Every structure is written in structure tokens, then in C-alpha cells.
Amino acid sequence: MKRILKTGLFALAAFCTLTLFAGCASKDKAAAQTKTQQTAKKPAQTVQEEDPGVVLLFNEADAIKDTGSKAFNGVSAMQTVKDMTVGWNLGNTLDAIGNGSLYSETSWGQPKTTKEMIDGLANSGIKTIRIPTSWAKHMDKKTYTINPEWMKRVKEIVDWAIEDGMYVILNDHHDNFNNPAKMPACAGYYPNEKNKVESERFLLNLWTQIAVAFNNGYDEHLIFETLNEPRLCGTGHEWWFDQNAAECKEAANCLNEYNQLILDAIRKTGGNNQKRYVSCPGLAASPDSALNPAFKLPEDDEKGKLILSVHMYTPYNFAMASPGDKNFTSAHQADLGRYFSRLNASFVSKGIPVIIGEMGATNKDNIEERVKWFNYFLTQSRKYGMTSCLWDNGAWEIRNNDYNEKYGYYNRREQTWYFPEILNAMIESTKE
């Protein structure tokens, strides 16, 4: 929606006009020249724009609007999450932030997404696809309007998955500003007070446009995820929540407000979005931050529609660290078990289902141990009705004993799996 912003103009300082008469004394002429020079050096006052506040600015005429019609048949978020069983992430694709064109989809080295890729996932037994999507570089910096061609491309991929009977999670992924300094307009969001107004303006315009584009044409198979891993980028607390640190407390409060604002924006568009399932993360999507009392799920008039989103590359030494641990031990099992039990006690047992939006174990040339990890992870999480989505960034080959970020599983070009043993473990472990 385009709004006209009134700009306050400051009066420019008038230059002094000095009239020099012939025959004046030289000292009077020098004084006049000095005065003129001083006046000329005085900087002019600049035109200042008023901050419009947290309002809708996007151009409604350019916004993609959903014209479909489907009945929303979801019973509850709890049942829907159980039905989602196991998922996969279209990682390093629509979330790539290499540039603001449609070519950003392949700017991080992944092939352009095709219907055949999505069909291959569905045929493999994957029931859910998470489509990480970044938006800021595809938005007009003055009006916050999303490039219609980008929105059409996102819708195309979502629609392919929906046509295959899959559940789809659509989010705002890499739009967290990269440091705590004051942000420029339409650069994303950041969880601190300094950037709260700009962050909320960005998120309000973004999520209103997403909700307008995805509404009555989509039933319970489409889930909105407010944010990916909202965090204090560029600080010592980017990945580690300290409940006693002032900046962490501030960030948690800001995030609670952001989740509430996004949910309200989605609900306000009405239609199926009045009933849409919405998942929300804590700081960095960490279970620890979600389990801290500082985290609050938003208030929702629609009961039973909210979901907690967490990410679990757990335990870190086995699942992510390079070199870390190659063997999946009983201590690692106990670590995972404690997290699942605590998430159940704080959320699932109270009617709030949990989606583990990202999980996986990096390739350390330890396929047998990774299969053990997947079996245990998925068997234990399914005891509490949780759905897990495998993170896939396309990187799977090990070079020079570097195990960092080797989370490639699905060959998108061939629609085959690099590690079919892991796929089998995922499918078998999530059967009822």
C-alpha cells in the first residue's frame, strides 16, 4: 500500500546582502568582505524526512494477490505437525542473498529449482518441504514493495510442493541485519531497541505482502514461519543466549514483539490466514532460548494454531563441529533426550507442538554413526509428535579432512540421494 509521507522542510538560512558604496573606507570594505565570507561558509540546513513510524508503505497495485479458493480443514496445529512427519530444506537457494535479481536463486551454487526436484522429494517419502526465503534485497527501499517477479517465483515453487500433497513451511530467512548499528531503510530487522521501529516497519510490510499473496488459495498444508534464526549478529551473543546479559534481555523482548506483530499482520489479512498455522522461534532458533522464561509466544485469538520452531544440530560436537566427534555415543544420546524431554514439558504437553525446522549431522565419513544419530533423533522426537526438517545445503564431499557444513543429502540434478541409508533411517523412524 502506497502512503504519501509528509516531509517537514526547514527554512534555509538567508544570505546577508551587503551593499558597498563607492568611497567607503577600506576597513569598512574589508569588514564587509569578511562578513560575506563568514555567511557564505555557513552550512545550509538540510531537508529532513519525518520517520513515518510502523505503517504500511508498499504499493498495493504491485503486490501479488492470491485469487485461489480452498477450504481450510486443519483440526489443530498439534495434529498437523504429527501429520507432517519428516521434512527437507531447500537450502542455499531462495534464501541466498547474493543479489536482488531472480538469479540470486543460484548465486550460492545450487541449481535452479525444478518441478522434477520437488516431485523427486515427494516420491522419496518426504512429506514436508521448508522453503527458506530471503526478501530484503528484492524489496524497493522506499516503498518496501516486494518485486512481483520474485513473489511469483516463490509461489511457483510452493505450488509445485502443494500439488504433490506436501506440507510447505515458508519463512523470512536471511534478513537479520548483520550488526547492531543503526540500519538503513528496508535492510531487514535486528532485535534491539535502536532498530525496533525500522525492523517492525520492514516486518509489517513484508508479512502483509506474503499473507496477501498466500491466503485463500492455500489450506492447512501451508505453514508460515515468522523468522529463521533471529539473533544478535555481530556480537558475542549471536549464538549464545545469556539470560543475565542486558543485550540478550533486550533482544528477547524485541523478538517477542516482532513475533506478535507478524502474527497480527497475518491474521489481519483474513480468509484462510485467520486460521493459518504459524510457527515462531526464540533467539537463534535455539532450544535453550525458547526454554528460557524471557521467550513468549505471541497471543492469538485463534486457539491451537501456534507452533514452536527450533533448530537442533545437537550435540554440537557430533552434528556440526569439525573435526569434533565422529562416534555417536551414549552421552550424545542423553544430551538429545534431555532436550526433547524439556521441549515436551514446556510446550508439547501444554498444547504447543514443535517443529525442528533444521537438523542434520555433517558428513565426517562416518555413515554408520550418522545413521545411528538419525534413527535416535527421529525416533525420540516423534515420541512427542515433533516433525523434523533435514537441512540440505548441497555440500557433501569431504576435502582435506574438513567436515564443516557438509549437509548435502539430496542430489537435486539427478533426484537421487547421496546417502540412501540416511533417507531410509528418516522414513522408517517416523512411521507410526
Side-chain angles (χ1 to χ4, degrees):
M1 300 178 184
K2 181 177 281 186
R3 302 287 178 87
I4 299 176
L5 306 181
K6 295 182 179 178
T7 306
L9 300 178
F10 290 100
L12 297 177
F15 287 101
C16 297
T17 304
L18 301 175
T19 305
L20 301 178
F21 296 97
C24 289
S26 59
K27 66 177 181 179
D28 292 335
K29 186 180 294 185
Q33 290 173 341
T34 299
K35 186 174 182 180
T36 302
Q37 292 169 356
Q38 290 174 343
T39 304
K41 291 178 181 178
K42 185 177 180 180
Q45 295 182 3
T46 58
V47 176
Q48 301 282 335
E49 287 191 0
E50 294 177 357
D51 188 321
V54 183
V55 295
L56 292 173
L57 299 169
F58 71 88
N59 188 334
E60 189 173 3
D62 289 338
I64 300 299
K65 301 172 183 65
D66 183 10
T67 58
S69 179
K70 279 188 177 181
F72 194 99
N73 299 313
V75 176
S76 68
M78 190 74 73
Q79 185 58 51
T80 297
V81 171
K82 287 181 181 178
D83 293 343
M84 293 166 72
T85 61
V86 66
W88 177 89
N89 276 271
L90 184 66
N92 286 22
T93 305
L94 298 185
D95 52 321
I97 52 175
N99 55 60
S101 73
L102 291 179
Y103 295 108
S104 66
E105 179 179 348
T106 57
S107 65
W108 283 2
Q110 298 308 303
K112 186 176 181 180
T113 307
T114 65
K115 188 177 188 307
E116 289 72 23
M117 288 183 197
I118 307 303
D119 293 345
L121 289 165
N123 293 335
S124 297
I126 300 297
K127 299 297 183 185
T128 298
I129 181 169
R130 182 171 179 256
I131 303 180
T133 307
S134 301
W135 304 89
K137 289 196 174 182
H138 301 278
M139 297 169 72
D140 183 270
K141 300 308 176 188
K142 292 183 179 179
T143 67
Y144 295 73
T145 304
I146 298 171
N147 180 347
E149 296 306 312
W150 182 246
M151 184 65 83
K152 289 177 184 177
R153 177 57 176 156
V154 175
K155 282 177 70 71
E156 181 177 43
I157 297 173
V158 170
D159 289 349
W160 288 336
I162 296 291
E163 289 167 7
D164 281 339
M166 301 174 77
Y167 288 91
V168 175
I169 302 170
L170 181 62
N171 76 352
D172 177 22
H173 205 77
H174 283 311
D175 289 329
N176 200 138
F177 196 60
N178 60 13
N179 69 78
K182 188 71 173 176
M183 295 189 304
C186 200
Y189 69 90
Y190 197 91
N192 64 4
E193 288 291 333
K194 181 186 299 182
N195 288 299
K196 190 164 74 170
V197 171
E198 175 56 41
S199 295
E200 292 188 344
R201 182 163 52 240
F202 170 83
L203 294 170
L204 175 65
N205 281 272
L206 169 64
W207 273 103
T208 299
Q209 290 176 85
I210 295 174
V212 166
F214 296 90
N215 196 334
N216 288 335
Y218 301 85
D219 61 14
E220 67 277 7
H221 284 80
L222 176 64
I223 292 93
F224 287 151
E225 178 187 42
T226 58
L227 300 167
N228 172 46
E229 293 170 340
R231 60 194 189 274
L232 290 164
C233 291
T235 76
H237 291 117
E238 180 169 358
W239 297 109
W240 313 109
F241 180 78
D242 180 355
Q243 64 181 358
N244 297 314
E247 66 177 350
C248 289
K249 294 178 183 178
E250 180 181 312
N253 289 334
C254 287
L255 177 57
N256 291 339
E257 293 185 34
Y258 297 170
N259 279 329
Q260 185 70 61
L261 178 145
I262 294 168
L263 176 67
D264 291 347
I266 292 167
R267 295 283 183 253
K268 193 172 182 179
T269 60
N272 283 357
N273 286 337
Q274 189 66 41
K275 300 168 282 189
R276 181 80 53 207
Y277 300 124
V278 178
S279 67
C280 304
L283 287 170
S286 162
D288 290 314
S289 60
L291 290 163
N292 189 279
F295 172 71
K296 308 291 183 186
L297 280 169
E299 296 181 4
D300 190 10
D301 291 336
E302 296 291 324
K303 302 305 178 185
K305 304 295 185 184
L306 296 182
I307 302 166
L308 175 69
S309 173
V310 298
H311 295 175
M312 290 183 65
Y313 300 94
T314 309
Y316 174 81
N317 281 343
F318 177 82
M320 182 172 275
S322 176
D325 300 331
K326 281 192 172 186
N327 295 320
F328 182 53
T329 67
S330 58
H332 295 152
Q333 290 184 9
D335 193 13
L336 276 173
R338 280 190 293 270
Y339 273 115
F340 294 139
S341 178
R342 292 176 65 199
L343 288 169
N344 175 65
S346 295
F347 295 97
V348 180
S349 67
K350 297 177 181 178
I352 304 296
V354 175
I355 291 177
I356 302 169
E358 292 182 17
M359 48 80 77
T362 190
N363 183 17
K364 300 180 181 181
D365 194 20
N366 58 341
I367 185 63
E368 291 183 1
E369 297 301 310
R370 286 204 293 162
V371 168
K372 291 178 186 177
W373 182 88
F374 277 98
N375 275 320
Y376 188 84
F377 190 106
L378 292 163
T379 301
Q380 295 302 306
S381 59
R382 287 300 289 176
K383 281 172 50 178
Y384 304 113
M386 301 177 190
T387 282
S388 300
C389 296
L390 179 68
W391 178 252
D392 193 326
N393 62 4
W396 64 279
E397 294 181 291
I398 300 170
R399 294 184 176 88
N400 301 319
N401 294 318
D402 179 10
Y403 308 137
N404 188 46
E405 296 279 342
K406 303 303 180 185
Y407 294 110
Y409 299 91
Y410 179 58
N411 185 329
R412 305 183 197 186
R413 292 179 173 85
E414 302 295 330
Q415 291 86 61
T416 58
W417 291 80
Y418 298 121
F419 308 101
E421 306 97 322
I422 289 176
L423 172 65
N424 185 63
M426 292 171 59
I427 301 301
E428 293 299 317
S429 298
T430 52
K431 285 183 177 179
E432 295 296 333

